[in-house]
């Protein structure tokens, strides 16, 4: 039986020993000590934890921190490195993404083969095909609605129109020719509203630049002057 130690007042890392607190069974029965940690928490620990196991902070401070949010992982989640199911899902996603990026970096054909496998399976599985198409639509919609992609979309549409102008205009012409007079009237109203909105946006844009705004007003004045002159000449 070792001689009883007096640890009161001693420091073990972040722990300061306050006083004995009875006896405790940890392996064998031994002295229990009340300690206070630098974090402010007090707890009672077995003597051998301090003298042999090398405890230098309280059991709370020893808890692992969540890899995602940094909060302590509580004892209801043993062997987990995340504090909650939400953080666990984020961590799983991160791990999967890292794995994916490693695979893609190592193998240029990885994505093409994976997509091929998926389309093969979609041919056989109607439900899967439907689900994949839903996911693709949603992801395309997210991409289109992201303001960061607006310029790319504008450029793509402009290039598409420049390349297919004849076809697009013929298609428009055919659509207009096929309309009933009521549909045509409705179409005219819609187009006029679009044009009004466009002109509004253009004026707002120009107003934000005083130099350009002045030039624009001059141009409009000149236009109206000529219009008056032309009208006078006709009548
Ligand atoms: Zn502590
Ligand atoms: Zn967390």
């Amino acid at each position: 039986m070792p001689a009883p130690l007096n640890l009161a007042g001693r420091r073990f890392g972040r722990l300061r020993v306050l006083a004995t607190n009875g006896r405790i069974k940890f392996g064998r029965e031994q002295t229990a000590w009340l300690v206070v940690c630098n974090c402010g928490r007090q707890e009672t620990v077995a003597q051998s934890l301090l003298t042999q196991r090398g405890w230098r902070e309280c059991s709370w401070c020893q808890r692992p921190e969540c890899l995602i949010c940094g909060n302590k992982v509580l004892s209801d989640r043993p062997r987990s490195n995340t504090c909650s199911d939400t953080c666990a899902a984020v961590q799983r996603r991160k791990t999967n993404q890292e794995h994916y990026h490693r695979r893609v970096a190592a193998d240029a054909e990885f994505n093409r083969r994976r997509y091929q496998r998926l389309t093969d399976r979609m041919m056989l599985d109607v439900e899967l095909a439907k689900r994949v198409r839903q996911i693709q639509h949603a992801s395309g919609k997210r991409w289109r609605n992201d303001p960061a992609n607006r310029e790319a979309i504008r450029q793509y549409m402009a290039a598409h129109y420049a390349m297919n102008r004849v076809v697009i205009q013929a298609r428009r012409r055919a659509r207009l020719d096929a309309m009933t007079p009521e549909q045509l009237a409705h179409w005219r109203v819609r187009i006029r509203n679009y044009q009004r909105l466009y002109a509004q946006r253009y004026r707002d844009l120009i107003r934000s630049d005083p130099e350009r705004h002045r030039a624009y007003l001059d141009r409009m004045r000149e236009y109206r002057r000529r219009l008056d002159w032309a009208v006078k000449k006709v009548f």
Side-chain angles (χ1 to χ4, degrees):
M1 182 96 185
L5 285 174
N6 186 10
L7 298 181
R10 281 268 304 272
R11 230 178 204 295
F12 294 88
R14 285 159 58 82
L15 295 176
R16 191 157 52 81
V17 182
L18 296 177
T20 51
N21 194 8
R23 296 185 64 77
I24 197 170
K25 195 162 155 50
F26 186 80
R28 59 184 167 81
E29 200 192 271
Q30 54 191 290
T31 312
W33 294 94
L34 181 67
V35 296
V36 59
C37 177
N38 281 1
C39 74
R41 287 178 182 81
Q42 290 190 5
E43 66 184 334
T44 299
V45 300
Q47 177 172 294
S48 64
L49 287 179
L50 298 170
T51 54
Q52 291 166 24
R53 299 278 187 117
W55 272 38
R56 294 299 176 258
E57 53 187 1
C58 72
S59 56
W60 173 265
C61 289
Q62 285 176 40
R63 285 194 184 288
E65 275 158 14
C66 172
L67 286 178
I68 298 301
C69 70
N71 288 343
K72 290 289 186 186
V73 178
L74 301 185
S75 54
D76 59 348
R77 296 174 69 83
R79 290 187 302 281
S80 176
N81 50 19
T82 49
C83 71
S84 64
D85 288 346
T86 317
C87 283
V90 174
Q91 172 63 15
R92 207 155 46 235
R93 201 176 146 75
K94 221 171 109 190
T95 315
N96 287 345
Q97 270 173 1
E98 279 164 14
H99 181 71
Y100 167 78
H101 286 304
R102 262 204 312 282
R103 292 284 295 268
V104 171
D107 179 2
E109 288 287 280
F110 174 74
N111 261 334
R112 202 193 55 72
R113 266 190 283 107
R114 197 168 76 146
Y115 191 66
Q116 187 61 53
R117 270 202 307 280
L118 181 66
T119 41
D120 288 349
R121 276 176 58 203
M122 279 165 72
M123 299 274 266
L124 301 172
D125 186 344
V126 182
E127 274 306 305
L128 175 76
K130 214 167 102 191
R131 229 163 52 235
V132 168
R133 239 167 260 128
Q134 271 170 4
I135 292 170
Q136 285 172 339
H137 281 161
S139 123
K141 202 167 164 190
R142 271 202 306 281
W143 191 86
R144 283 195 303 278
N145 288 337
D146 186 347
N149 298 322
R150 203 168 284 158
E151 183 54 27
I153 293 170
R154 204 192 58 73
Q155 280 180 12
Y156 169 79
M157 303 255 274
H160 178 74
Y161 181 74
M163 263 167 62
N164 305 289
R165 189 166 43 202
V166 176
V167 181
I168 291 171
Q169 283 179 350
R171 219 185 288 146
R172 273 184 201 162
R173 187 73 257 167
R175 213 158 43 227
L176 288 177
D177 287 346
M179 279 183 188
T180 65
E182 295 85 56
Q183 283 173 330
L184 206 57
H186 179 69
W187 177 81
R188 280 213 185 87
V189 171
R190 258 181 54 208
I191 292 293
R192 205 170 302 133
N193 286 340
Y194 282 137
Q195 284 171 341
R196 241 174 237 150
L197 275 176
Y198 181 81
Q200 178 72 48
R201 276 208 306 277
Y202 182 67
R203 275 198 302 277
D204 287 350
L205 178 76
I206 269 186
R207 269 197 202 111
S208 63
D209 182 349
E211 191 109 345
R212 247 177 111 186
H213 190 218
R214 210 172 306 118
Y216 168 76
L217 289 181
D218 286 348
R219 215 161 51 240
M220 289 308 282
R221 212 169 292 124
E222 176 65 13
Y223 169 70
R224 267 186 233 107
R225 200 179 59 74
R226 282 192 200 177
L227 202 66
D228 282 350
W229 184 76
V231 170
K232 267 181 213 134
K233 207 175 153 193
V234 169
F235 295 105

